[in-house]
Amino acid sequence: MSAGHGHHHHERPASAVELRARALEALLAERGLVSTDAIDAVVELYENDIGPQNGAAVVGRAWVDDAYRERLLADGNSAIAELGFGGAEADNLVAVANTPTVHNLIVCTLCSCYPWPLLGLPPTWYKSPPYRARAVSEPRAVLREFGVELGAEVEIRVWDSSAEVRYLVVPMRPEGTEGMSETELAALVTRDCMVGTALPRL
Amino acid sequence: MSAGHGHHHHERPASAVELRARALEALLAERGLVSTDAIDAVVELYENDIGPQNGAAVVGRAWVDDAYRERLLADGNSAIAELGFGGAEADNLVAVANTPTVHNLIVCTLCSCYPWPLLGLPPTWYKSPPYRARAVSEPRAVLREFGVELGAEVEIRVWDSSAEVRYLVVPMRPEGTEGMSETELAALVTRDCMVGTALPRL
Amino acid sequence: MRRVDGVHDMGGMHGFGPVVETGGELPYREPWEPRVFAIQMLISAEGLGAGPGGRATREEMDPAHYLAASYYERWLYSAEQRLLRRGTIAPGDVEAMVVRLEAGETMPPHADAAMAERILDELRTAHPMGPAPAQGAFSPGQRVRVRRMHPQGHTRCPRYVRGAVGVVEAVRGVDRLPDRATYGEKIQPEPVYSVSFSSEELWGAGQEPAFTVLLDLWASYMEPA
Amino acid sequence: MRRVDGVHDMGGMHGFGPVVETGGELPYREPWEPRVFAIQMLISAEGLGAGPGGRATREEMDPAHYLAASYYERWLYSAEQRLLRRGTIAPGDVEAMVVRLEAGETMPPHADAAMAERILDELRTAHPMGPAPAQGAFSPGQRVRVRRMHPQGHTRCPRYVRGAVGVVEAVRGVDRLPDRATYGEKIQPEPVYSVSFSSEELWGAGQEPAFTVLLDLWASYMEPA
């Protein structure tokens, strides 16, 4: 699975930047400076092991276990470690809970900071100029694009990840989920719910 | 002299934007909406009739005629009209005088506003991001690029042309010019002297 | 697309590199450039365009395009947009003419001496602001704070002065607020003030000795400090 | 080029268009993109680069290039720059390899299982901030004003909060000020605070109901209000 080593066969010709990326990898591999399997390992880590399923497991637990929820909101790092999660870009995790009168939204206006160990690598929109520019100045217009309409009584709290703190939104448990298991509940929690651009739905 | 009418023969092929500009002119001419001679007239106006020689004449007069200088600093529009100057982009002219303790610098951070009737069309650097960004935040570093070093005792006043006022810097008359005529003096006054990025030299 | 707190608002931004570069002293480098300038002037003078003027139209450009484009490329963009908005040209017209020119077709000039006279008259005519009122919202010597605001369209209040405290130095006259007049709103003129700011107020203590920055600001942009 | 109040600082800027676009929900679209991400991680972990990290390096990109480039194209840029600065690669090396690849040369992979283990360990390890001090410069509930400043390099204080008044909500811990630590200065950690701002303070009254924006700000960025 190594780019730059002739394994890729695209229908279309490679772009200049793709060629350059493959050349950089090939160069570092040829000199023995970067190992192809280390690159593969990083890619596979975030494609297979680490992704929104981790964050969803945290939220699912918080929905069924009030004591866990309290620990999560009080000390994010310790609480996610209970479920085996943590690492780079969740060095200082703060979980923020939605309520009937508070909706939380996460952004990084300066960069693309994001809690990798819980959500994987961020979607393109999270890293793009429109979201970075608008989330802090017109959050309701942004939420509307995602199909989320909130009542005027809801205070929107936009968290700009300007330092080394990373945020996880704990959405409200939807009505009608009383009989569901922790696993079934976690399946309702999409990535966007934990960034604040979606609400969990049955 | 009409672009888009086959009169231009470049060594190099026309760029996409040049082609597009020529096409727009040809399109408007073919439909009789814009006349080629009107375009020629505007280009020639700013190439031949209107340019820094106008502003230099104003400064030359101010250097030899204290009463004119006073009128110029009090009411720019009327004073330049005395010499036959005025028009679009000098709708509200304000002349600002350099002194041993004040140096004036003109910029337009939002756009490229500039006193056309006195200085012609602005140089590329005046319209470019580096000048627009830096003149208001590090004027001494900018002046240094132009070879202008001012003592720490000099207050730099940077005029950002944010409204419909246009500015003309009246530089200090250099020493050693006592015997010179108004015309000789005007010849010392370069465009950049009247923007504030140069000082007149003998 | 009336949302233009954009990259054109450059005061204080970093990363653009040196001011002085080879060729930068010229107003333009290519013969087509002043012709696009002239066309934009004629579009306004002859009423061939519609919507906000060339300047506000250029501010609506995609930010990456705005920065990548040369100066007169932006003018070409605004000329085309204004013509399209009024229906003077239709989408595809310019592209079709490009094809014809590339095929070697030679287009005859169009002469109209009266139009040339009109535009020269217009360019030689000043349209000054109205006189300053005897009593305005602010007076010379007064301390003012620029409002922290987030205009949804064209504005002449750059970001770098918003929230800053300055001193009114002079009243320039009265003029319609561009934030609304640009979009054709019928509004009354209001006073415009020359306001000075210390560099330390704007940027904090810096590497250069303190200096002064002055802007001409409409009354609506400010409140008493 | 330590001057980065640049276009990366986007909070509140206009003109970028819609957030939701087809394909935008994916972390990447091309197989080379996560590989560039991995290479950047390995450059840091294996000490192959020099100078400011990937983030500060990307902020030094030419603004037009920054906006025109795709996300991982920026990462490729920073990876190359950091390798060049340390001399791990030389100018022209990448271009030469492009030529070899285009000529059809097939490059064998390089295996190093220990390196793969090291990077996985590193990515699974958190490096938390130091604990909050008993007594810091500010306390929860306190009103603070963000300094009006104009940093000459990397900063974590976005332009849109400078000069604004907010309220300290919590102390996050202590951390070294990025404005200096990024460039290798040996400095002591200082408290980092969660500070909330009303939208009206930041942007004035807007078209949306008032909302709250919260940032994590180092003590150096603020003064008592």
Side-chain angles (χ1 to χ4, degrees):
Chain A
M1 287 299 293
S2 64
H5 297 82
H7 297 189
H8 282 284
H9 301 286
H10 296 277
E11 296 293 325
R12 49 158 195 72
S15 67
V17 60
E18 172 175 356
L19 258 176
R20 198 166 180 97
R22 288 169 55 195
L24 183 65
E25 177 175 340
L27 184 65
L28 295 173
E30 183 176 55
R31 297 188 182 174
L33 294 169
V34 165
S35 88
T36 320
D37 50 351
I39 296 174
D40 293 342
V42 173
V43 172
E44 285 159 19
L45 177 71
Y46 291 104
E47 284 195 346
N48 303 326
D49 300 348
I50 294 183
Q53 68 277 12
N54 294 7
V58 170
V59 172
R61 175 67 56 87
W63 281 353
V64 299
D65 180 341
D66 283 347
Y68 181 77
R69 177 187 161 94
E70 278 181 38
R71 292 199 298 281
L72 176 64
L73 298 178
D75 179 352
N77 279 27
S78 301
I80 66 173
E82 289 182 39
L83 303 194
F85 306 135
E89 294 299 311
D91 304 285
N92 307 277
L93 188 86
V94 169
V96 289
N98 289 347
T99 73
T101 56
V102 171
H103 180 84
N104 295 284
L105 182 67
I106 313 304
V107 65
C108 175
T109 62
L110 294 174
C111 183
S112 53
C113 299
Y114 192 78
W116 299 347
L118 296 177
L119 301 184
L121 299 183
T124 299
W125 59 258
Y126 185 87
K127 303 173 283 194
S128 296
Y131 187 71
R132 288 165 54 186
R134 296 173 53 204
V136 292
S137 61
E138 46 176 22
R140 281 178 192 263
V142 170
L143 289 172
R144 204 167 296 125
E145 282 194 33
F146 283 94
V148 175
E149 289 274 1
L150 299 170
E153 76 285 1
V154 178
E155 177 198 0
I156 299 181
R157 288 167 72 84
V158 185
W159 301 84
D160 187 354
S161 314
S162 50
E164 299 308 321
V165 178
R166 298 294 171 266
Y167 292 91
L168 179 79
V169 175
V170 181
M172 286 188 287
R173 179 170 170 170
E175 289 182 25
T177 57
E178 290 72 15
M180 292 174 70
S181 72
E182 184 178 332
T183 309
E184 288 169 329
L185 288 168
L188 303 178
V189 184
T190 66
R191 175 192 66 199
D192 289 5
C193 293
M194 296 179 277
V195 180
T197 55
L199 301 176
R201 303 267 176 230
L202 263 186
Chain B
M1 286 301 294
S2 65
H5 297 82
H7 298 189
H8 282 285
H9 302 285
H10 295 278
E11 296 293 325
R12 49 159 195 72
S15 68
V17 61
E18 172 175 357
L19 258 178
R20 200 168 179 96
R22 289 169 55 194
L24 183 66
E25 176 176 340
L27 184 64
L28 295 173
E30 183 175 55
R31 297 187 182 176
L33 294 169
V34 165
S35 86
T36 321
D37 50 352
I39 296 175
D40 293 342
V42 172
V43 172
E44 285 160 19
L45 178 70
Y46 292 105
E47 284 196 344
N48 302 326
D49 300 349
I50 294 183
Q53 68 276 13
N54 294 8
V58 170
V59 172
R61 175 66 56 89
W63 281 353
V64 300
D65 180 342
D66 283 348
Y68 181 77
R69 177 189 162 93
E70 278 181 36
R71 293 198 298 281
L72 175 64
L73 298 178
D75 180 352
N77 279 27
S78 301
I80 66 172
E82 289 183 39
L83 303 194
F85 306 136
E89 294 298 311
D91 303 285
N92 307 277
L93 187 86
V94 169
V96 289
N98 289 347
T99 72
T101 55
V102 171
H103 181 84
N104 295 285
L105 182 68
I106 312 304
V107 66
C108 176
T109 62
L110 294 174
C111 182
S112 53
C113 299
Y114 191 79
W116 299 348
L118 296 177
L119 300 183
L121 298 183
T124 299
W125 59 257
Y126 185 86
K127 302 174 283 193
S128 296
Y131 187 71
R132 289 165 54 186
R134 297 172 54 205
V136 292
S137 61
E138 44 175 23
R140 282 177 192 263
V142 169
L143 289 172
R144 202 167 297 124
E145 283 194 32
F146 284 93
V148 176
E149 290 273 1
L150 299 170
E153 76 286 0
V154 178
E155 177 198 0
I156 298 181
R157 288 165 74 83
V158 185
W159 301 85
D160 187 354
S161 313
S162 49
E164 299 308 319
V165 178
R166 299 294 171 265
Y167 292 91
L168 179 79
V169 175
V170 181
M172 285 188 286
R173 179 171 170 170
E175 288 181 28
T177 59
E178 292 71 17
M180 292 175 73
S181 72
E182 185 177 332
T183 309
E184 287 169 329
L185 288 167
L188 304 178
V189 185
T190 65
R191 176 192 65 199
D192 290 5
C193 292
M194 295 179 279
V195 179
T197 55
L199 301 175
R201 301 270 176 230
L202 264 186
Chain C
M1 287 296 287
R2 284 179 51 168
R3 346 193 102 259
V4 282
D5 251 359
V7 290
H8 71 279
D9 185 357
M10 293 178 173
M13 277 181 68
H14 280 149
F16 292 120
V19 171
V20 176
E21 291 193 298
T22 307
E25 70 282 4
L26 301 172
Y28 39 80
R29 302 179 201 195
E30 304 278 335
W32 63 268
E33 295 178 303
R35 302 190 73 78
V36 163
F37 167 77
I39 289 169
Q40 171 77 70
M41 293 291 113
L42 286 160
I43 288 169
S44 296
E46 299 290 321
L48 300 174
R55 176 172 175 169
T57 302
R58 291 188 287 278
E59 293 173 357
E60 291 170 1
M61 287 174 75
D62 169 76
H65 184 197
Y66 184 99
L67 288 182
S70 71
Y71 183 76
Y72 287 109
E73 195 175 339
R74 290 181 207 137
W75 281 62
L76 177 62
Y77 171 89
S78 61
E80 285 191 47
Q81 291 301 310
R82 299 185 68 216
L83 292 165
L84 285 165
R85 280 192 207 126
R86 189 161 194 280
T88 303
I89 65 172
D93 282 354
V94 177
E95 290 78 2
M97 182 58 81
V98 166
V99 170
R100 289 169 63 190
L101 293 178
E102 284 190 308
E105 203 171 327
T106 301
M107 303 299 299
H110 167 62
D112 181 344
M115 187 184 292
E117 274 311 302
R118 285 197 299 276
I119 188 67
L120 291 180
D121 281 352
E122 175 62 20
L123 290 172
R124 288 180 171 132
T125 305
H127 300 283
M129 286 193 277
Q135 181 75 28
F138 305 105
S139 310
Q142 187 175 352
R143 278 164 50 91
V144 289
R145 184 184 293 277
V146 182
R147 295 180 192 279
R148 289 188 77 100
M149 53 187 192
H150 196 231
Q152 296 295 304
H154 179 68
T155 190
R156 301 296 185 83
C157 183
R159 285 182 290 184
Y160 76 90
V161 295
R162 293 185 201 156
V165 172
V167 176
V168 173
E169 295 219 344
V171 195
R172 293 299 191 201
V174 297
D175 196 9
R176 292 181 174 78
L177 186 71
D179 305 47
R180 299 173 60 193
T182 302
Y183 302 102
E185 281 190 60
K186 302 279 178 264
I187 51 173
Q188 291 302 310
E190 60 178 75
V192 177
Y193 300 92
S194 174
V195 184
S196 69
F197 300 88
S198 77
S199 58
E200 295 187 348
E201 169 69 8
L202 294 177
W203 312 113
Q207 300 181 314
E208 302 199 349
F211 54 95
T212 306
V213 180
L214 300 101
L215 294 88
D216 294 306
L217 298 172
W218 276 259
S220 291
Y221 296 152
M222 302 185 292
E223 59 197 15
Chain D
M1 286 296 286
R2 285 179 51 169
R3 345 193 102 259
V4 284
D5 251 359
V7 289
H8 71 279
D9 184 356
M10 292 180 174
M13 276 182 69
H14 280 149
F16 291 120
V19 171
V20 176
E21 291 192 298
T22 307
E25 70 282 4
L26 301 172
Y28 40 78
R29 302 177 203 196
E30 303 278 337
W32 63 267
E33 295 179 302
R35 302 189 74 78
V36 164
F37 166 78
I39 289 169
Q40 171 76 73
M41 294 291 112
L42 286 160
I43 289 170
S44 296
E46 299 289 323
L48 301 173
R55 175 173 176 167
T57 301
R58 292 188 287 278
E59 293 172 357
E60 290 171 2
M61 287 174 76
D62 169 75
H65 185 196
Y66 184 98
L67 287 181
S70 71
Y71 183 75
Y72 287 109
E73 195 175 339
R74 291 182 205 136
W75 281 61
L76 177 61
Y77 171 89
S78 61
E80 286 190 46
Q81 291 301 310
R82 298 184 69 215
L83 291 164
L84 285 164
R85 279 192 207 126
R86 189 161 196 281
T88 304
I89 64 172
D93 281 356
V94 178
E95 290 78 2
M97 182 58 81
V98 166
V99 170
R100 289 170 62 190
L101 292 178
E102 285 190 307
E105 202 171 328
T106 301
M107 303 299 300
H110 167 63
D112 181 343
M115 187 184 292
E117 274 311 302
R118 285 197 298 274
I119 189 66
L120 291 180
D121 281 351
E122 175 62 20
L123 289 172
R124 288 181 171 131
T125 305
H127 300 283
M129 286 192 277
Q135 181 75 29
F138 307 104
S139 310
Q142 187 176 352
R143 280 163 49 90
V144 290
R145 184 184 292 277
V146 183
R147 295 180 192 278
R148 290 188 77 100
M149 53 185 190
H150 196 231
Q152 297 296 305
H154 179 69
T155 188
R156 301 296 185 83
C157 183
R159 284 183 291 184
Y160 76 91
V161 295
R162 295 185 201 156
V165 173
V167 176
V168 173
E169 295 218 345
V171 194
R172 293 299 192 202
V174 298
D175 196 9
R176 293 180 174 77
L177 185 70
D179 306 46
R180 298 174 60 191
T182 302
Y183 303 102
E185 282 190 60
K186 302 279 177 263
I187 52 174
Q188 290 302 308
E190 59 179 72
V192 176
Y193 300 92
S194 174
V195 184
S196 70
F197 301 87
S198 78
S199 57
E200 296 187 349
E201 168 69 8
L202 293 177
W203 312 113
Q207 301 182 315
E208 302 198 350
F211 55 94
T212 306
V213 180
L214 300 100
L215 294 88
D216 295 306
L217 297 172
W218 276 259
S220 291
Y221 296 152
M222 303 185 291
E223 58 197 15

